[in-house]
Amino acid sequence: MTTPSFVPPLTPPDQVVATVHRQGYAVLAAATVGALAGCTAEALRVLEPSWSDLPPDAYLKDGGRYRRRRHASFIADGGQLQAVPHRAHWQPVAYNALHGGMERWFEPMLAADLVQPAWQQLVLGLAGLCSSLRGGAPARWYVEAHQFRIDTTDGIGRPTPEGAHRDGVDFVAVVLVSRQGIKGAETRVFEADGPNGQRFTLTEPWSLLFLDDARVIHESTPIQPLDAGGHRDTLVLTFRSKGFQDA
């Protein structure tokens, strides 16, 4: 059975900054992501195996078993990426009505991934894009990384159980790593202070949605299985200039 999907509105590599300035977001093909990172999209695939080893998310308030994740935090500054001691993920209730206001201690990302050149290049490349959007001068960015696997263990999985939301940061990159044996997971982006919106389905591994978090809200629709073991793997990277969010 085929299911409808909406083709992502891909942004040409030389128009990413202008597009984000104009509408608050841009969708990048895997080749564009690789060019931004200074490596091939194929080189990023060395990171993929760890998505099969994510522990369950123990903080889901809806009682679901459909989400697995790991978390890590970094400072990107002067072309260098420095991991910081493992810390809790925290969001205010204003940005996450479901899980905000609580310290969530997720298992850390694997050290073997964090030393991969492709990992360093990806995060620093996106940090450079953030700096370009803030006028071009190099800036210090406080980065949080979240590996997610949403599966169909209970028949349905929810990538964004909190609904349409902002993250309380400057910029967000939602990277599709893999989707297998599912339908759904339509991405939806809306103006935070206006009527316009866009919907599409990311299907290409290592393509991404890049957001100006102050200007747009976003969500992904639930997934349902087409085959046994259906799941969707993503990497979410958030960039904030004023330090990490803490309780």
Side-chain angles (χ1 to χ4, degrees):
M1 180 178 69
T2 59
T3 56
S5 63
F6 296 85
V7 176
L10 297 176
T11 302
D14 61 347
Q15 296 180 28
V16 174
V17 171
T19 299
V20 177
H21 277 314
R22 183 178 71 253
Q23 63 185 22
Y25 68 92
V27 186
L28 280 58
T32 303
V33 175
L36 185 70
C39 65
T40 65
E42 187 65 27
L44 294 167
R45 302 201 66 178
V46 72
L47 302 170
E48 293 178 11
S50 61
W51 266 265
S52 296
D53 186 33
L54 301 182
D57 183 339
Y59 294 92
L60 284 171
K61 286 189 174 181
D62 64 3
R65 300 179 299 164
Y66 53 81
R67 185 158 76 179
R68 295 174 173 270
R69 68 191 295 180
R70 290 184 185 272
H71 171 247
S73 301
F74 309 85
I75 295 174
D77 189 15
Q80 300 293 319
L81 185 65
Q82 176 186 352
V84 304
H86 194 55
R87 49 186 295 281
H89 176 55
W90 185 87
Q91 292 175 292
V93 175
Y95 291 110
N96 190 329
L98 184 61
H99 296 115
M102 59 191 294
E103 288 191 341
R104 290 181 284 169
W105 286 93
F106 300 112
E107 289 296 314
M109 290 182 64
L110 299 179
D113 281 344
L114 304 186
V115 298
Q116 291 290 342
W119 172 258
Q120 304 270 326
Q121 290 170 295
L122 175 63
V123 179
L124 289 173
L126 289 168
L129 173 58
C130 295
S131 296
S132 295
L133 288 160
R134 288 292 185 261
R140 169 176 287 195
W141 295 103
Y142 295 82
V143 186
E144 292 194 52
H146 306 263
Q147 291 177 290
F148 289 101
R149 170 165 286 187
I150 307 299
D151 65 35
T152 53
T153 297
D154 295 324
I156 191 170
R158 296 177 174 86
T160 52
E162 65 272 38
H165 65 283
R166 291 161 55 202
D167 289 321
V169 298
D170 292 273
F171 300 105
V172 180
V174 182
V175 185
L176 178 71
V177 176
S178 174
R179 55 179 289 152
Q180 297 184 24
I182 62 168
K183 62 180 179 179
E186 178 183 283
T187 297
R188 298 178 178 178
V189 186
F190 309 93
E191 290 177 342
D193 299 310
N196 296 319
Q198 181 105 33
R199 58 181 185 163
F200 52 88
T201 305
L202 290 173
T203 58
E204 183 189 22
W206 296 99
S207 60
L208 66 79
L209 168 65
F210 186 88
L211 305 161
D212 183 331
D213 192 56
R215 295 176 56 193
V216 296
I217 58 177
H218 63 283
E219 67 175 342
S220 294
T221 62
I223 65 172
Q224 293 177 278
L226 292 175
D227 298 306
H231 63 267
R232 179 178 185 254
D233 294 345
T234 56
L235 170 67
V236 176
L237 293 161
T238 65
F239 297 81
R240 196 168 187 262
S241 63
K242 295 181 179 179
F244 296 111
Q245 292 190 100
D246 289 304

